[in-house]
Amino acid sequence: MAAWLHGDQMLKHYYDGTLQSNKVRVVSEKGIVAKAEIGEAATITVEIDDPAGTLDFVGYKTWRMDEDACPVGSRTVWRGYVGNQVIGRGDDDLVHGTARRWTLTLHEDNGLLARRLLISDAANRPAETVSARLAWLLTQPGFSGLIFDHGLIESSTVQMDPANYHGRRGADVLRDLSLVSGYNHYVRYREASTDVELAFYDPDVSPLDVSTLRISNVSTDIDLATTWPADMAVELERSPSRIGSGVHVSYSGGSQYVSRAATEAAFAAVDQDTPSAAVKTRSAALALASRLLDQHDEQDERIPTVRIRLPAAKLNDVRQGQRIRARLSHLPGWTSFRAARVVSKASSRPENLSQDVYDVDLELSPAAALIVQSVSARVGDAGQLTLTLGSPVAAGNLLVVVARKRNLNSSGGLPETANVGSLIGRAVNFTVWGLADIRAGDAFGPDRMKVMYAVAVGDEQTLVVGANKLQYTLYELSGASTAGVQTLSLSSQGASSSKSLGSFSGGSVLQIGGFLWDAGALDQTVGSGWTQDDQTNDLTTGAHPGTLAMHATTRPAVAISGGSYEWGGVAVAFP
């Protein structure tokens, strides 16, 4: 049992807003635990010595823990409320008179989500979007004036069937919303506004709620400022329990079964059953089944515990729910910095050490790579292309380039090197993932595309490439790993209005790619699920090739359509 004293030390305990001057011991096995997964509430246990027999604690009153070593405005490390109370003699010197000891079970604020019943007529909800139903919920008792939207709620246009929540609880509504949308939800105390905020977003691809802290077990990464060493015992767990090649969804009046051959071929024929009170129609059941097949096409991967030791002043540099980057050189898929969500955080003071440091155990669930920023540019015969990103680049992030060039044999080729700031600046060497050509028989050489990457040092906000007739799109990616990247490419395909590279196998969430075609016409449309980042042609003549760069986060087929021309393309998918 982890136990240590807090009272007049740096960690302060507040009951119903009042500082506790008596000694408080946290006796939960994992210390101070906070969770951020589908509204699950952590419980912890504290003991309070009451030698004079004058204290009193009652259920549902707030309990808050503040670490004074943290910066002002970021001192609260845990907040919840009192549950069961056990009063006894205790031991040691508490053995006579009115002396007693309180043992309190404390529940994290996530428990607020289930505290009140929904009893208004408006609880009988019509068909509406996820966002509309959540907006209504925030106006109901137990939410209005207690739980707020402070920017951690993402919109969702997914349609919800009608549902009657009369006599049910807010937690029931949020579970339905999370099931249908694929979003996670949790609450967390917000010190800036002294209230509780609701988080509701896609944990894989959302850019919200990011920690400034990184974790690594590679010594050259560690600076004890933003990057902290991971303990050597960290393990990766993979479980097939989430695999579903088939999904059965029950709804009012029937059920729907949908299967996916690719998942069955990769693993085995395994079915998942998902009854949901929120699904009333066949169309909603089919939509949910399709999303669940996407979600259940790979094994569940977790790092159950990675321990870092933080100074007390840094304890809130990472919080439950936040997106964090970790590099764990001995684990597959984690050999370069990768994004993850903090599913839970447990803080405790190491044995025989002062309170100036904490052992922090984090449970991590992998998240998708994110595009932090991007920029596109092109150049004619000038022989020098300059790209400047809107913000400085973070060291350790991945730089990905979709590079296209007319007439490969003209000055400079399609370089795999850029320079920082100017052509005489530090060289950045890119590694090629894939390439494609068109017009291979042209006397001046083919038109070519490459998708390349480099790991950022941090000075690459402006890059200069020494070649002409170039079209470049530069992306900065956070949390992307180079391990396990998939590549699709095709060169010199016959003239066609529909141009497709096919599809990536399961497990990828972020894809980046590009196409080029034998015409200067800018008449191509990206396929469903893709976002176009650039579409351009030769700057000098407005002639061939037409090119574009694009990205996606939903694993769609890699395709564009438009005018019928010879074409080629390259795309990569990140694990």
Side-chain angles (χ1 to χ4, degrees):
M1 300 282 283
W4 67 93
L5 293 178
H6 306 292
D8 56 357
Q9 302 178 49
M10 286 183 289
L11 189 70
K12 308 294 189 189
H13 292 257
Y14 294 85
Y15 166 72
D16 197 25
T18 300
L19 176 64
Q20 297 304 290
S21 57
N22 286 30
K23 297 296 184 181
V24 180
R25 291 179 292 275
V26 177
V27 296
S28 296
E29 182 180 358
K30 294 185 177 181
I32 305 169
V33 182
K35 296 186 176 183
E37 189 170 32
I38 313 297
E40 183 181 357
T43 59
I44 65 176
T45 306
V46 297
E47 291 180 347
I48 306 99
D49 291 342
D50 185 10
T54 57
L55 298 180
D56 192 20
F57 303 98
V58 299
Y60 295 113
K61 294 294 187 180
T62 60
W63 194 281
R64 192 179 85 243
M65 304 179 196
D66 286 3
E67 174 53 68
D68 282 356
C70 291
V72 173
S74 183
R75 288 180 170 172
T76 299
V77 299
W78 192 93
R79 206 195 84 141
Y81 54 89
V82 177
N84 287 349
Q85 313 115 56
V86 177
I87 306 101
R89 264 300 187 196
D91 51 20
D92 301 329
D93 59 334
L94 298 178
V95 295
H96 60 276
T98 60
R100 59 196 180 198
R101 173 171 294 162
W102 293 78
T103 302
L104 306 181
T105 300
L106 306 179
H107 300 276
E108 192 184 10
D109 273 336
N110 276 303
L112 297 172
L113 300 175
R115 186 176 289 185
R116 300 292 301 276
L117 292 173
L118 300 167
I119 57 174
S120 71
D121 291 342
N124 191 5
R125 302 304 301 163
E128 59 192 339
T129 65
V130 166
S131 288
R133 191 161 295 180
L134 181 55
W136 160 77
L137 180 63
L138 289 175
T139 67
Q140 299 305 293
F143 287 81
S144 178
L146 179 65
I147 297 174
F148 296 86
D149 175 4
H150 287 300
L152 293 185
I153 294 178
E154 284 189 333
S155 64
S156 171
T157 58
V158 173
Q159 286 291 318
M160 302 284 293
D161 282 337
N164 190 351
Y165 291 104
H166 196 276
R168 298 178 67 191
R169 300 176 186 273
D172 299 319
V173 181
L174 284 165
R175 279 191 290 268
D176 284 348
L177 297 177
S178 288
L179 175 65
V180 171
S181 65
Y183 287 12
N184 186 28
H185 70 268
Y186 59 92
V187 298
R188 196 172 63 208
Y189 181 70
R190 187 173 186 266
E191 197 166 341
S193 50
T194 64
D195 57 29
V196 177
E197 66 179 330
L198 175 65
F200 183 78
Y201 53 72
D202 186 330
D204 270 343
V205 301
S206 175
L208 298 177
D209 208 11
V210 178
S211 170
T212 58
L213 183 146
R214 301 194 310 176
I215 302 169
S216 178
N217 62 3
V218 178
S219 60
T220 53
D221 294 334
I222 296 163
D223 59 12
L224 300 182
T226 58
T227 308
W228 298 84
D231 70 303
M232 298 302 293
V234 60
E235 295 178 338
L236 175 66
E237 288 186 359
R238 288 175 171 172
S239 170
S241 61
R242 66 175 288 168
I243 296 297
S245 62
V247 174
H248 178 262
V249 179
S250 299
Y251 63 95
S252 299
S255 63
Q256 195 68 40
Y257 177 81
V258 183
S259 62
R260 183 168 293 173
T263 305
E264 180 176 341
F267 297 95
V270 182
D271 291 332
Q272 299 282 353
D273 184 42
T274 308
S276 173
V279 179
K280 300 291 192 299
T281 62
R282 180 177 181 273
S283 60
L286 285 170
L288 176 57
S290 178
R291 190 190 67 74
L292 291 175
L293 284 173
D294 288 340
Q295 181 179 334
H296 293 287
D297 66 351
E298 58 184 329
Q299 296 188 95
D300 185 44
E301 185 173 302
R302 288 282 175 107
I303 293 179
T305 304
V306 55
R307 173 167 291 185
I308 54 177
R309 181 163 289 175
L310 293 177
K314 294 284 188 178
L315 186 57
N316 276 337
D317 281 10
V318 57
R319 297 176 184 265
Q320 73 276 19
Q322 286 188 325
R323 184 180 174 95
I324 193 172
R325 290 188 294 160
R327 183 184 185 190
L328 303 163
S329 59
H330 64 298
L331 299 180
W334 297 80
T335 54
S336 56
F337 277 102
R338 183 175 182 179
R341 286 285 177 183
V342 179
V343 177
S344 69
K345 173 186 175 183
S347 308
S348 58
R349 188 176 68 84
E351 293 293 332
N352 302 319
L353 289 177
S354 74
Q355 185 140 353
D356 290 342
V357 295
Y358 284 84
D359 279 341
V360 179
D361 293 336
L362 304 177
E363 180 182 358
L364 302 181
S365 177
L370 287 181
I371 296 174
V372 177
Q373 57 181 335
S374 66
V375 63
S376 295
R378 60 179 180 161
V379 65
D381 294 321
Q384 178 175 311
L385 180 147
T386 300
L387 303 106
T388 300
L389 291 163
S391 302
V393 173
N397 278 356
L398 210 61
L399 300 174
V400 176
V401 171
V402 179
R404 300 88 79 191
K405 178 171 172 59
R406 180 185 182 192
N407 297 341
L408 188 65
N409 294 338
S410 62
S411 174
L414 182 46
E416 297 169 12
T417 300
N419 296 88
V420 174
S422 70
L423 286 176
I424 60 173
R426 181 183 70 82
V428 178
N429 297 310
F430 288 94
T431 300
V432 178
W433 267 317
L435 62 83
D437 289 337
I438 61 170
R439 304 177 68 254
D442 189 274
F444 297 100
D447 300 334
R448 175 166 289 179
M449 167 174 287
K450 291 180 182 178
V451 177
M452 307 180 287
Y453 77 92
V455 178
V457 172
D459 62 354
E460 300 95 342
Q461 186 173 359
T462 296
L463 293 180
V464 179
V465 186
N468 61 18
K469 299 183 182 297
L470 288 174
Q471 299 102 45
Y472 252 58
T473 299
L474 171 66
Y475 301 88
E476 180 189 0
L477 272 57
S478 172
S481 172
T482 58
V485 170
Q486 302 178 58
T487 303
L488 298 172
S489 63
L490 288 172
S491 291
S492 298
Q493 300 299 293
S496 175
S497 58
S498 298
K499 308 164 185 65
S500 177
L501 300 179
S503 299
F504 291 104
S505 60
S508 63
V509 177
L510 175 65
Q511 300 95 44
I512 291 176
F515 286 84
L516 67 169
W517 53 92
D518 187 18
L522 304 181
D523 57 358
Q524 302 299 305
T525 301
V526 297
S528 176
W530 288 88
T531 297
Q532 177 181 295
D533 301 307
D534 182 46
Q535 184 167 181
T536 189
N537 54 24
D538 182 76
L539 180 62
T540 303
T541 65
H544 68 82
T547 74
L548 61 76
M550 61 189 194
H551 75 273
T553 58
T554 56
R555 287 178 274 193
V558 187
I560 64 172
S561 62
S564 181
Y565 317 110
E566 178 189 355
W567 64 276
V570 184
V572 296
F574 297 88

